[in-house]
Amino acid sequence: MKINKPVITLAQIQGEKAILNWVSGDDRTASYIIYKKIKEDTWNTKTVKFTNISDVRYEDRDIVRGAEYTYTLQAVDEYGILSEKTNETTLILPKLQEVN
């Protein structure tokens, strides 16, 4: 039987980084996978996968202003069985406004 997916409790930009917090949806969870989709412009999107995350908090310092980042999480049990993915959550670090 599949394990339950984690529940994202916080997704926000703090300073120059993206912060994700979540709670485990299942006590059989051994680790988490974070999928980070980066939309640099209308035509360019790439996905990065982070595996073996043991914490329930993730700080992403590898973000740039104006790009759109979409995160989804997945739980993994001790046998490598994956949960469903969480709903996507999107964060953008706004571009700085130029002062004239």
Side-chain angles (χ1 to χ4, degrees):
M1 190 170 106
K2 268 189 185 176
I3 60 175
N4 295 317
K5 65 185 177 185
V7 177
I8 296 174
T9 57
L10 175 77
Q12 67 181 182
I13 299 291
Q14 292 181 3
E16 300 283 322
K17 61 191 176 206
I19 307 287
L20 295 175
N21 287 358
W22 62 91
V23 292
S24 175
D26 199 304
D27 57 8
R28 298 172 292 166
T29 300
S31 67
Y32 300 94
I33 298 171
I34 298 174
Y35 299 90
K36 173 185 173 183
K37 191 162 57 178
I38 306 156
K39 184 175 180 182
E40 292 160 338
D41 57 43
T42 307
W43 300 277
N44 293 318
T45 302
K46 69 178 181 180
T47 301
V48 183
K49 180 178 171 182
F50 303 99
T51 58
N52 294 319
I53 306 291
S54 58
D55 205 356
V56 291
R57 177 181 172 90
Y58 181 72
E59 293 189 7
D60 188 358
R61 297 173 192 280
D62 186 20
I63 63 174
V64 296
R65 291 190 176 275
E68 182 179 292
Y69 300 95
T70 302
Y71 299 91
T72 51
L73 299 174
Q74 205 170 22
V76 185
D77 74 7
E78 64 178 306
Y79 304 106
I81 297 171
L82 304 174
S83 71
E84 298 290 323
K85 289 183 180 176
T86 61
N87 292 335
E88 294 184 337
T89 185
T90 300
L91 297 172
I92 299 172
L93 179 59
K95 290 185 176 180
L96 293 172
Q97 299 297 317
E98 290 190 20
V99 179
N100 294 334

